[in-house]
Amino acid sequence: MNSLEINYWLKQHWRLLLVIFVAVLILGEMIYQIVYPSSHLIPGTKIDGVVIGGLRKDDAATKLSAAYGELKLDIYFGKNDAAFQSPKMSDVGISVDNGDRIAAMDYPFYLRIIPGSIFWAQGLEKPGDIKYNYDSDKIAAYT
């Protein structure tokens, strides 16, 4: 085949080539979704403003717990409008355990076989409830 014959063939079969190209893209994306590790969160997942998508569930729980530890805890005395102090939650002895909360989030198989679901399935994931831990010795020392 010379270049003129190839050019003519491409002009005659461009729709077929386009369909094959799109089919290969969709098939490749579906294979990626099916083999995506279940120990990782779906890309784009965000909880309470913290982006944890694509991370292993353990790492995501650690990152989210650290973010909660940095939150300020306003302490008021009486009927004041301004806080007396605003220490970090971790300094006072209050922490959040996100392990069970994150472990409940899953990317089920029925969603994995839907083309393109990896781009929108994180909106269907609902994190569990927050579990607070209190260090009574640290709280007593702070007060």
Side-chain angles (χ1 to χ4, degrees):
M1 272 186 149
N2 63 24
S3 63
L4 289 175
E5 290 174 343
I6 293 172
N7 192 22
Y8 178 75
W9 188 87
L10 289 175
K11 284 183 180 181
Q12 295 298 316
H13 299 94
W14 68 271
R15 288 184 191 95
L16 175 65
L17 292 174
L18 183 63
V19 168
I20 291 171
F21 179 74
V22 170
V24 167
L25 279 179
I26 291 172
L27 182 64
E29 191 265 337
M30 284 182 62
I31 290 171
Y32 175 73
Q33 287 179 179
I34 290 171
V35 300
Y36 190 79
S38 60
S39 63
H40 289 65
L41 293 170
I42 301 173
T45 303
K46 184 188 285 190
I47 296 179
D48 297 334
V50 179
V51 178
I52 55 173
L55 295 176
R56 286 185 36 240
K57 290 182 180 182
D58 296 339
D59 296 337
T62 302
K63 182 177 180 179
L64 197 56
S65 296
Y68 276 109
E70 295 296 316
L71 289 177
K72 299 287 184 182
L73 178 65
D74 293 335
I75 299 174
Y76 294 91
F77 285 115
K79 296 181 181 181
N80 293 331
D81 292 334
F84 173 69
Q85 284 187 339
S86 297
K88 294 179 187 176
M89 286 179 60
S90 59
D91 294 340
V92 178
I94 302 171
S95 63
V96 177
D97 182 15
N98 287 291
D100 295 337
R101 184 180 189 202
I102 299 293
M105 299 175 74
D106 194 22
Y107 185 29
F109 185 75
Y110 70 89
L111 285 178
R112 290 175 183 252
I113 59 174
I114 299 173
S117 67
I118 199 162
F119 301 114
W120 52 264
Q122 71 272 10
L124 300 176
E125 289 184 323
K126 301 294 181 214
D129 293 329
I130 296 174
K131 179 182 171 190
Y132 292 97
N133 296 322
Y134 302 98
D135 183 356
S136 57
D137 294 335
K138 201 169 188 181
I139 291 172
Y142 185 81
T143 54

